[in-house]
Amino acid sequence: MAAPTSAKASSAFGPRPLQSLPELTKPFRSFAGYAEQCKPCVLRGLASPPTTELSAKLHTLQRRCTVSFEPTRNLFHFDVEVDSADGGRRRLINPGRISMHFQDFWETCRRASAVASAASAPSVQSDGRTARVVNMPYDTEDLPEPANPEEPQVLEVSLEELKNLALYCVEDAGDWADLLQDVHPVDPAALIHPEWQRLLRERRIWMSSGGPQGTQSVSAGFHWDHLQNIHVVLSGSKEVFLVAPLLAPALCATRFCPQSQWQMSSSGGRMRVEKVEMQSAASSTDYGLISVDSSYEENLQRHHRMAIEMKVPLFGGVGVFCKDGAFKMTCQSIETSL
């Protein structure tokens, strides 16, 4: 996890101080106490990012992957018709999903990172390289009926156009066992809290190209993870904001509302993205109407209850920021009762 250093939360929630999380260093003897009390903390020195070795191995990986895409800088955000009485009628906008070859994803991230790191991004002459992608539903409810399966439409999309989107790849770590063994052979959970080994539920790898064209970072809306998390950042950077459970109502979150997702198409050799309605009427977790990327005034306009319920200092959101093409591994998640 990374200590929150941004002024985003302060501007989003008004003149309230942003408290830093306590930091622990090796050998992490006091971590068990934090874990037992479900208190968040930052672990320093848990991993040394093997950036060069990691990049070399990913550069040769031959497989397909599922990639989420977003044309804005906010994953999982709401379209809202503002109504001061009830906070507005909401529609949750989910990222689009495509299946593509991992090498095309990796090259697109490399190009996006090169543009973002340039002092003044020059116009890049396209080399004509394209990726073959297939749109994927975000929820199983939106899969085609088994009795009438639709032949997936393969789109040829330019990598130069793809790099203008925020791309996010999430993979099950079990499918990447050989890679993780090479770049991070020691299980961080075994190092800091062996008692958690038997409670393991998920191990995932997250890779991001950063923000869409014109922005450096991409954020995930305030949400609630049902499992405890340990995050190990192998490359790039990440900011996490946490809100104390008793303050959760101030985020005005819900999972029950109409939903849409982005869908990709190609017309005249150019990529297009548009919102399409989903059949799902509930998300897998609650997402907050209040955004850490919005100003305090904008958040108040979205929902007046925030000013009433946010009465104590912000401790930390679950808004996640991946900068400079961050590669994050969620190395341990456990079940717990909170």
Side-chain angles (χ1 to χ4, degrees):
M1 299 176 69
T5 58
S6 173
K8 284 178 176 293
S10 296
S11 63
F13 290 93
R16 293 170 175 81
L18 181 64
Q19 301 180 9
S20 296
L21 298 177
E23 297 188 8
L24 310 181
T25 56
K26 289 181 178 179
F28 308 126
R29 292 192 180 94
S30 60
F31 178 75
Y34 283 90
E36 290 171 2
Q37 299 179 54
C38 297
K39 290 185 176 180
C41 61
V42 177
L43 306 176
R44 293 293 184 191
L46 182 60
S48 299
T51 307
T52 303
E53 180 183 358
L54 179 63
S55 297
K57 290 185 177 296
L58 290 174
H59 186 68
T60 60
L61 198 61
Q62 300 296 321
R63 57 174 296 167
R64 293 189 70 81
C65 59
T66 300
V67 176
S68 297
F69 68 87
E70 173 65 50
T72 76
R73 63 176 301 175
N74 304 111
L75 301 169
F76 304 103
H77 61 277
F78 287 94
D79 279 351
V80 181
E81 298 176 26
V82 176
D83 183 330
S84 59
D86 64 5
R89 291 173 291 277
R90 317 181 193 184
R91 177 175 295 273
L92 178 63
I93 310 301
N94 294 279
R97 276 187 176 173
I98 52 176
S99 171
M100 63 189 299
H101 197 281
F102 181 80
Q103 286 306 308
D104 290 330
F105 166 75
W106 186 246
E107 173 61 18
T108 303
C109 291
R110 187 195 66 80
R111 297 185 184 202
S113 178
V115 171
S117 61
S120 58
S123 58
V124 180
Q125 184 67 34
S126 174
D127 58 4
R129 178 169 171 176
T130 61
R132 293 171 60 84
V133 308
V134 176
N135 281 302
M136 305 284 289
Y138 198 83
D139 281 337
T140 54
E141 292 181 29
D142 291 270
L143 287 169
E145 292 293 334
N148 186 30
E150 297 181 9
E151 186 70 24
Q153 181 183 6
V154 179
L155 305 175
E156 292 278 350
V157 181
S158 165
L159 266 57
E160 288 300 311
E161 291 185 299
L162 272 179
K163 81 175 193 304
N164 295 329
L165 302 172
L167 302 179
Y168 218 87
C169 178
V170 183
E171 293 285 331
D172 189 294
D175 297 333
W176 297 60
D178 292 342
L179 174 67
L180 294 182
Q181 182 64 29
D182 288 341
V183 301
H184 205 283
V186 179
D187 186 340
L191 177 65
I192 64 174
H193 202 44
E195 292 81 357
W196 277 3
Q197 292 294 95
R198 63 184 178 83
L199 301 173
L200 177 65
R201 292 294 179 270
E202 295 177 359
R203 300 183 71 208
R204 292 185 178 179
I205 300 172
W206 305 70
M207 290 164 280
S208 169
S209 64
Q213 185 178 29
T215 62
Q216 188 180 24
S217 62
V218 61
S219 65
F222 280 100
H223 60 278
W224 174 41
D225 283 352
H226 300 274
L227 306 176
Q228 294 280 46
N229 286 264
I230 298 177
H231 299 294
V232 179
V233 180
L234 298 181
S235 177
S237 61
K238 169 185 170 138
E239 290 179 283
V240 177
F241 298 93
L242 302 173
V243 169
L246 292 179
L247 294 180
L251 299 177
C252 310
T254 186
R255 72 185 65 188
F256 304 106
C257 66
Q259 296 189 71
S260 295
Q261 77 168 94
W262 293 101
Q263 189 171 78
M264 190 175 295
S265 62
S266 180
S267 177
R270 301 300 301 271
M271 179 189 71
R272 295 178 56 191
V273 295
E274 58 185 349
K275 300 171 190 173
V276 297
E277 290 190 21
M278 298 170 57
Q279 297 180 39
S280 303
S283 180
S284 59
T285 187
D286 294 332
Y287 285 97
L289 180 64
I290 302 307
S291 171
V292 75
D293 285 312
S294 299
S295 68
Y296 181 57
E297 292 73 21
E298 289 171 331
N299 280 328
L300 281 180
Q301 184 181 18
R302 283 190 156 195
H303 210 302
H304 66 285
R305 286 173 51 199
M306 187 189 75
I308 300 174
E309 293 166 341
M310 184 62 74
K311 294 179 180 178
V312 300
L314 187 70
F315 180 69
V318 187
V320 177
F321 296 78
C322 293
K323 297 180 178 179
D324 306 323
F327 183 106
K328 181 203 74 175
M329 176 176 69
T330 302
C331 59
Q332 188 83 29
S333 299
I334 65 165
E335 279 190 341
T336 186
S337 56
L338 296 176

